[in-house]
Amino acid sequence: MTLLEKRRVVVTGLGALTPVGNSAEEYWAAITQGRSGIAPITKFDPKDLPTRIAGEVRDFDPLKWVDKKEARRLDPYLKYAIACAAMAVEDAALNVEKIERTRFGVLVGSGIGGITTLLDSHKDLLEKGPDRVSPFFIPMLIVNMASGLISMRYGAKGPNSAVVTACATGNHAIGDAFKIIQRGDADVMIAGGAEAIITELTFAGFCQMKAMSTRNDEPTRASRPFDAGRDGFVCSEGGGLVILESLEHALTRDARIYAEVVGYGMTSDAYHMTAPDPEGDGAARCMAEALRDAAVAPTDVGYINAHGTSTPYNDKFETIGIKRVFGPHAKKLAVSSTKSMVGHLLGAAGGVEAIATILAIHHGILPPTINYETPDPDCDLDYVPNQARKQEVEVALSNAFGFGGTNATLAFRRFRG
């Protein structure tokens, strides 16, 4: 298949579990209303930690998606992934019995995977001995099991893989799935990320890095991307998965199309384990590559869903990167961070933020950056402050940057037949 023969790829289904809602519809309603899902931690006692707030998934009943026996064998991140996949398949009205199974694939990642299972199993080993470690320990732990279980559930016998690229995981999963369909190796892909990392150990690690906000007394105001008073990110959990189809496949079954995926960029900072490049080089090249792949000019872009973590470095350097790519047009761009409301879902962040970007195009509404109170001279773009904005957008980008200097940008376009 030549470059001229690349197939068009569209988004036909969405599934999300977030701190502000347990479906894509609930999530979208909350973020367009500017509601925060950040609250005191309930999953463990955080009294000894400097950060005691998080974005937890609430009122989630896994038995809506799996039976009791299976639920006992699944890490929380796997339950989230399966639930999101089921919601996305239902939202797409996808009749899996009518899909050519060998051209139906899954690509779902996680930044950390089954860490709850790891900690619980280690405790069993120490307290009860090796004979009490579950035979399901390894399958519950490994990152590719989300894709594996989803493929088994739907009989998807095509490409089956997983991505582990820290906070860029969701974007890389969707971008790689996009390329699989574009080059003709599948017709339908379930793609995205899931994460369940609200444990004392992970929080202790992030706290030791001094990466998280300590605004414990006002949790809903803690995540404040691009604001001068930002003091770190807020750790969250959940999942975001999408159904991608070749345009031909979607049209053949008369599917509803949310948006078209048109570009994908991936780069490395090659700079530092955790800090982003201070010149925004990797981020800039990543956005530029997504634009090149999409064959769109910088001036065609109307909105960027920023990585926007609410850390001092990321927000400043992402802003620098945007200016490098867009030049004078950067001042005309709308740039917002939905992490201001849902926090940072790590490996699932790209998935839920891709959904926000897709729905922004679909509905002509841009989600805001809440808690934007004090402008930072280093962050001087239009961050859609505090209230959603009605605005038609033709092309939008979604950024995701991860530890290790890994970067991924997705480009979406309003679908035109």
Side-chain angles (χ1 to χ4, degrees), residues 14-28 31 43 55-65 75-88 193-196 198 236-242 342-353 355:
L14 310 172
L17 281 172
T18 76
V20 294
N22 290 349
S23 69
E25 294 81 4
E26 290 180 3
Y27 164 59
W28 178 247
I31 63 173
K43 297 202 167 186
E56 297 179 337
V57 170
R58 301 178 184 86
D59 303 318
F60 171 65
D61 181 8
L63 300 184
K64 286 181 64 178
W65 315 106
D75 185 86
Y77 101 93
L78 292 172
K79 296 173 187 176
Y80 293 168
I82 290 169
C84 289
M87 287 187 279
E195 201 79 88
I198 299 180
S236 299
E237 62 176 357
L241 272 63
V242 300
V342 300
H344 194 344
L345 280 72
L346 301 174
V352 299
E353 289 160 18
I355 290 172

Side-chain angles (χ1 to χ4, degrees), residues 39-57 80 115-116 119-120 123 196-207 212-213 216 234-237:
I41 293 170
T42 65
K43 297 202 167 186
F44 65 89
D45 185 353
K47 61 179 175 58
D48 295 328
L49 294 171
T51 294
R52 299 184 292 279
I53 55 176
E56 297 179 337
V57 170
Y80 293 168
I115 192 165
T116 300
L119 295 173
D120 290 346
K123 183 178 179 182
I197 39 71
I198 299 180
T199 71
E200 189 170 12
L201 179 62
T202 50
F203 267 65
F206 281 128
C207 285
M212 293 196 296
S213 173
N216 298 304
V234 177
C235 194
S236 299
E237 62 176 357

Side-chain angles (χ1 to χ4, degrees), residues 226 279-281 283-285 287 298 304 315-333 335 376-383 399:
F226 306 107
E279 300 299 323
D281 175 68
R285 288 185 293 105
M287 287 181 272
I304 298 177
D315 298 359
K316 175 182 177 180
F317 299 154
E318 185 172 10
T319 298
I320 291 172
I322 291 170
K323 290 178 179 179
R324 287 181 60 168
V325 174
F326 291 93
H329 184 63
K331 294 288 187 177
K332 301 176 183 178
L333 279 169
V335 180
D376 181 343
D378 292 325
C379 300
D380 56 353
L381 301 179
D382 172 10
Y383 301 112
N399 284 336

Side-chain angles (χ1 to χ4, degrees), residues 75 77-78 80-81 108-116 118 141-144 146 162-173 192-197 202 206 235-240 344-351 401-404 406:
D75 185 86
Y77 101 93
L78 292 172
Y80 293 168
V108 177
S110 180
I112 296 179
I115 192 165
T116 300
L118 176 63
L141 171 72
I142 56 180
V143 169
N144 71 296
V163 175
V164 185
T165 50
C167 309
T169 294
N171 270 21
H172 278 134
E195 201 79 88
I197 39 71
T202 50
F206 281 128
C235 194
S236 299
E237 62 176 357
H344 194 344
L345 280 72
L346 301 174
F401 312 135
F403 283 176
T406 183

Side-chain angles (χ1 to χ4, degrees), residues 26-371:
E26 290 180 3
Y27 164 59
W28 178 247
I31 63 173
T32 52
Q33 293 166 19
R35 295 206 313 263
S36 171
I38 310 307
I41 293 170
T42 65
K43 297 202 167 186
F44 65 89
D45 185 353
K47 61 179 175 58
D48 295 328
L49 294 171
T51 294
R52 299 184 292 279
I53 55 176
E56 297 179 337
V57 170
R58 301 178 184 86
D59 303 318
F60 171 65
D61 181 8
L63 300 184
K64 286 181 64 178
W65 315 106
V66 296
D67 62 33
K68 287 184 179 180
K69 183 178 180 181
E70 185 178 9
R72 289 195 295 270
R73 299 173 178 176
L74 299 177
D75 185 86
Y77 101 93
L78 292 172
K79 296 173 187 176
Y80 293 168
I82 290 169
C84 289
M87 287 187 279
V89 167
E90 181 180 0
D91 185 51
L94 198 62
N95 185 341
V96 297
E97 300 299 325
K98 294 185 177 180
I99 301 174
E100 170 54 54
R101 299 302 179 88
T102 60
R103 297 189 58 78
F104 179 18
V106 186
L107 212 168
V108 177
S110 180
I112 296 179
I115 192 165
T116 300
T117 294
L118 176 63
L119 295 173
D120 290 346
S121 297
H122 186 240
K123 183 178 179 182
D124 288 341
L125 174 68
L126 295 179
E127 296 181 355
K128 303 174 184 177
D131 290 344
R132 297 300 296 274
V133 174
S134 169
F136 294 99
F137 164 55
I138 299 299
M140 291 166 69
L141 171 72
I142 56 180
V143 169
N144 71 296
M145 193 53 64
S147 288
L149 291 174
I150 292 167
S151 71
M152 293 173 210
R153 185 182 185 106
Y154 296 109
K157 296 185 177 182
N160 183 280
S161 186
V163 175
V164 185
T165 50
C167 309
T169 294
N171 270 21
H172 278 134
I174 294 169
D176 289 352
F178 159 59
K179 288 299 178 182
I180 287 171
I181 297 174
Q182 190 182 64
R183 67 178 179 249
D185 290 341
D187 297 322
V188 182
M189 294 289 294
I190 301 174
E195 201 79 88
I197 39 71
I198 299 180
T199 71
E200 189 170 12
L201 179 62
T202 50
F203 267 65
F206 281 128
C207 285
Q208 287 295 96
M209 293 172 63
K210 302 188 185 306
M212 293 196 296
S213 173
T214 55
R215 201 182 289 258
N216 298 304
D217 295 334
E218 41 186 7
T220 62
R221 300 180 66 228
S223 184
R224 45 184 52 240
F226 306 107
D227 183 82
R230 64 192 185 276
D231 70 328
F233 78 89
V234 177
C235 194
S236 299
E237 62 176 357
L241 272 63
V242 300
I243 304 295
L244 302 182
E245 299 185 54
S246 70
L247 177 58
E248 180 183 16
H249 191 278
L251 293 178
T252 297
R253 67 181 192 88
D254 196 28
R256 177 208 40 225
I257 294 173
Y258 284 108
E260 184 172 0
V261 192
V262 290
Y264 173 40
M266 55 192 304
T267 65
S268 176
D269 285 359
Y271 173 74
H272 189 271
M273 287 176 66
T274 58
D277 185 308
E279 300 299 323
D281 175 68
R285 288 185 293 105
C286 194
M287 287 181 272
E289 178 60 21
L291 294 177
R292 185 206 62 79
D293 188 46
V296 299
T299 51
D300 293 331
V301 177
Y303 172 62
I304 298 177
N305 188 291
H307 188 54
T309 58
S310 187
T311 59
Y313 284 162
N314 174 89
D315 298 359
K316 175 182 177 180
F317 299 154
E318 185 172 10
T319 298
I320 291 172
I322 291 170
K323 290 178 179 179
R324 287 181 60 168
V325 174
F326 291 93
H329 184 63
K331 294 288 187 177
K332 301 176 183 178
L333 279 169
V335 180
S336 74
S337 173
T338 43
K339 288 184 179 74
S340 61
M341 294 166 281
V342 300
H344 194 344
L345 280 72
L346 301 174
V352 299
E353 289 160 18
I355 290 172
T357 310
I358 291 161
L359 289 176
I361 293 173
H362 185 68
H363 292 296
I365 300 174
L366 306 183
T369 304
I370 69 166
N371 299 321

